[in-house]
């Protein structure tokens, strides 16, 4: 039997995502009630600009006092889509203190201070759900937290930022340079006026921290994630990738060490073989590849951003949290029992693709090979082309500690016969 008293929801933020959440709650009210077992009522909407027209939202629900809204005491669930660290953190903890569970899309806050939010939720017997914080509409957080809870996850690798994937896809398919592809992404609304968070990898790094924490049952903060942007990727890099049967993607990679004693989390551009499932992810789509001990290889794919896709993830969490409220139960909280250390990037075992500008004369290749040998790095393939006293030398290494590879590159720069290092890129996904 359906309960007649509605569950009350406070919405913090009414931008692209928040307005879509409000719309779906209104237009699909009967379906949501049937799925939950009780009606869901939008009880208040906190905004910064109250004078803006918000179609479908009664004016009496609009408030600029978010703190008063979450303190009301009759609110069952707070949906936070304002982003940023403060005042979001204070509002969320206040909601817990006043008996409300929270659904959030706030990747930056969760990556920086997820542990304290989990602790506050547990202290007050409330839920913290955040499917929308990573990869938009793609069901990913819940499968990692619940469906794979009995398995051992060894690696999570994915494309978790649609803006960067769109730019790199255009560079690959059309031969455009970075600036041209960014301009197109901006014109189409995929890139913000200031794209720094996306193209420098900050957005993906926050998501990598969240995914690592869930996958490996340990606390990984944003500061633990190695980050490298993709603004230096060139058309020449794509040409080199194609010669290797690869393409280039900005990847978030979360790994458990081979001995199981530590984890790593990193974001950087990488060449991946065209045969890898992630190589075919086009436009602004996201995809995440999960490798688990029992389940094997799994891939999650779909739109990673935008009002409707992100609102879909928020509403999925809302339904789950409301069901928990009715049953006087709680969903999964923080699982950080392993307390594994997070290794530095230098300890990560990777492969490099290195393009060198060198003098076209005898003995150059031998000098270069000697530097690799001195640093304990084995060469997989070498390709050399020369003309008019100048040459390009492309070296692909076997896997080695990243610190050894970085040291090799620095030593190469000091050779008299090396005119410059044209490009360096990691190779992943073999």
């Amino acid at each position: 039997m359906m309960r007649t008293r509605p569950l009350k929801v406070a919405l913090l933020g009414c931008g692209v995502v928040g307005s879509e959440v409000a719309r779906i709650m209104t237009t699909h009210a009967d379906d949501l009630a049937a799925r939950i077992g009780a009606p869901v009522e939008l009880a208040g909407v906190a905004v910064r600009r109250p004078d803006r027209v918000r179609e479908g939202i009664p004016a009496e629900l609009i408030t600029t006092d978010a703190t008063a809204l979450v303190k009301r005491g009759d609110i069952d669930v707070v949906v936070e889509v304002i982003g940023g660290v403060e005042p979001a953190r204070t509002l969320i903890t206040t909601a817990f203190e006043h008996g409300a569970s929270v659904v959030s899309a706030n990747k930056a806050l969760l990556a920086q201070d997820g542990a304290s939010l989990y602790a506050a939720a547990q202290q007050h017997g409330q839920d913290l759900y955040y499917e929308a914080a990573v990869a938009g509409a793609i069901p990913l957080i819940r499968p990692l937290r619940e469906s794979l809870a009995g398995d051992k996850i060894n690696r999570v690798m994915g494309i978790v930022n649609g803006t960067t994937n769109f730019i790199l896809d255009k560079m690959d398919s059309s031969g455009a340079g970075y600036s041209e592809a960014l301009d197109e992404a901006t014109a189409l609304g995929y890139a913000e006026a200031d794209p720094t968070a996306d193209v420098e990898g900050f957005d993906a790094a926050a998501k990598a921290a969240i995914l690592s924490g869930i996958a490996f049952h340990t606390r990984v903060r944003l500061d633990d994630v190695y980050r490298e942007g993709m603004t230096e990727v060139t058309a020449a890099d794509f040409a080199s990738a194609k010669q290797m049967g690869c393409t280039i993607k900005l990847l978030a990679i979360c790994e458990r060490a081979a001995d199981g004693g530590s984890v790593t989390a990193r974001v950087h551009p990488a060449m991946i073989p065209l045969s890898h499932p992630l190589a075919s992810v086009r436009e602004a789509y996201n995809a995440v590849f999960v490798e688990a001990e029992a389940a094997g290889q799994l891939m999650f794919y779909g739109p990673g951003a935008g009002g409707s896709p992100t609102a879909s993830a928020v509403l999925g969490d809302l339904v789950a949290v409301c069901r928990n409220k009715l049953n006087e139960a709680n969903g999964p909280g923080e699982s950080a029992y392993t307390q594994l250390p997070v290794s530095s990037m230098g300890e990560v075992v990777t492969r490099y693709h290195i393009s060198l500008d060198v003098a076209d004369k005898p003995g150059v290749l031998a000098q270069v090979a000697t530097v690799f040998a001195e640093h304990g790095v084995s060469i997989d393939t070498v390709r050399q082309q020369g003309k008019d006293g100048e040459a390009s030398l492309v070296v692909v290494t076997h896997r080695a500690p990243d610190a050894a590879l970085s040291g090799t590159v620095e030593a190469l720069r000091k050779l008299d016969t090396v005119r410059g290092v044209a490009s360096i890129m990691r190779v992943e996904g073999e």
Side-chain angles (χ1 to χ4, degrees):
M1 179 180 293
M2 182 179 294
R3 192 182 82 167
T4 56
R5 184 175 69 81
L7 291 157
K8 294 190 177 183
V9 177
L11 178 60
L12 308 183
C14 198
V16 173
V17 176
S19 59
E20 189 65 8
V21 169
R23 184 192 68 79
I24 295 173
M25 285 185 64
T26 302
T27 58
H28 297 287
D30 291 342
D31 286 338
L32 290 172
R35 294 167 191 172
I36 292 168
V40 180
E41 175 187 314
L42 187 60
V45 182
V47 300
R48 287 186 298 175
R49 302 179 182 89
D51 298 332
R52 181 177 295 177
V53 176
R54 293 174 173 85
E55 187 176 345
I57 300 177
E60 61 269 21
L61 295 184
I62 301 296
T63 179
T64 57
D65 194 343
T67 301
L69 179 59
V70 300
K71 281 184 173 181
R72 274 177 37 172
D74 64 335
I75 300 296
D76 295 290
V77 184
V78 170
V79 174
E80 183 270 310
V81 288
I82 56 177
V85 175
E86 287 292 355
R89 173 168 45 200
T90 299
L91 291 170
I92 288 173
T93 55
T94 301
F96 291 144
E97 291 166 3
H98 287 78
S101 288
V102 173
V103 173
S104 176
N106 196 330
K107 55 186 172 288
L109 176 57
L110 288 159
Q112 180 171 311
D113 204 18
S116 70
L117 297 183
Y118 271 124
Q122 182 178 12
Q123 179 185 352
H124 297 286
Q126 303 300 324
D127 277 332
L128 173 63
Y129 276 54
Y130 48 90
E131 185 68 63
V134 181
I138 304 172
L140 180 60
I141 301 298
R142 193 172 290 114
L144 290 177
R145 286 215 292 181
E146 300 178 29
S147 304
L148 295 173
D151 209 338
K152 180 182 179 182
I153 298 173
N154 292 316
R155 196 171 201 234
V156 179
M157 180 171 78
I159 298 162
V160 295
N161 183 277
T163 300
T164 55
N165 199 59
F166 180 90
I167 293 170
L168 292 172
D169 183 46
K170 289 303 173 185
M171 293 176 70
D172 186 24
S173 61
S174 69
Y178 167 76
S179 296
E180 297 169 81
L182 174 60
D183 288 344
E184 183 175 353
T186 304
L188 292 172
Y190 292 123
E192 301 286 346
D194 180 1
T196 302
D198 295 323
V199 300
E200 293 294 352
F202 291 101
D203 175 84
K207 296 169 182 175
I210 294 169
L211 292 174
S212 297
I214 299 170
F216 307 131
H217 305 279
T218 199
R219 286 178 179 168
V220 180
R221 300 179 74 252
L222 181 58
D223 292 344
D224 296 323
V225 182
Y226 173 84
R227 178 194 55 79
E228 189 179 310
M230 42 78 72
T231 58
E232 301 300 318
V233 177
T234 66
D237 290 325
F238 275 101
S240 294
K242 287 180 179 179
Q243 289 180 334
M244 290 180 58
C246 294
T247 188
I248 299 171
K249 298 292 185 181
L250 184 74
L251 298 178
I253 303 172
C254 316
E255 290 180 305
R256 188 191 300 269
D259 64 3
S262 63
V263 299
T264 58
R266 52 195 166 105
V267 170
H268 55 72
M271 294 183 180
I272 58 172
L274 294 175
S275 58
H276 194 283
L278 291 177
S280 62
V281 178
R282 308 295 302 274
E283 299 285 333
Y285 277 76
N286 284 192
V288 178
F289 201 71
V290 177
E291 299 176 24
E293 198 165 271
Q297 297 179 332
L298 308 169
M299 189 163 115
F300 301 84
Y301 170 84
S308 293
T310 306
S312 172
V314 170
L315 267 295
D317 279 351
L318 180 63
V319 169
V321 170
C322 286
R323 287 171 175 168
N324 290 345
K325 282 282 184 180
L326 289 180
N327 294 321
E328 298 183 349
N330 289 114
E334 183 184 29
S335 177
Y337 70 92
T338 62
Q339 299 183 32
L340 294 173
V342 182
S343 298
S344 68
M345 186 63 194
E347 299 173 76
V348 175
V349 177
T350 62
R351 293 179 70 200
Y352 269 27
H353 174 283
I354 306 168
S355 180
L356 304 171
D357 294 327
V358 300
D360 187 15
K361 62 182 184 181
V364 173
L365 181 56
Q367 286 184 323
V368 169
T370 297
V371 170
F372 278 89
E374 289 173 346
H375 287 80
V377 177
S378 177
I379 294 175
D380 183 14
T381 62
V382 178
R383 187 175 68 254
Q384 184 173 4
Q385 293 178 324
K387 184 179 180 182
D388 299 329
E390 297 295 328
S392 63
L393 192 65
V394 177
V395 180
V396 180
T397 73
H398 285 292
R399 292 172 65 82
D402 201 81
L405 289 160
S406 298
T408 302
V409 172
E410 290 307 307
L412 289 171
R413 295 182 193 274
K414 297 176 183 178
L415 290 179
D416 292 339
T417 50
V418 174
R419 309 293 191 223
V421 180
S423 70
I424 310 166
M425 191 164 296
R426 295 176 182 87
V427 183
E428 298 286 345
E430 301 95 326

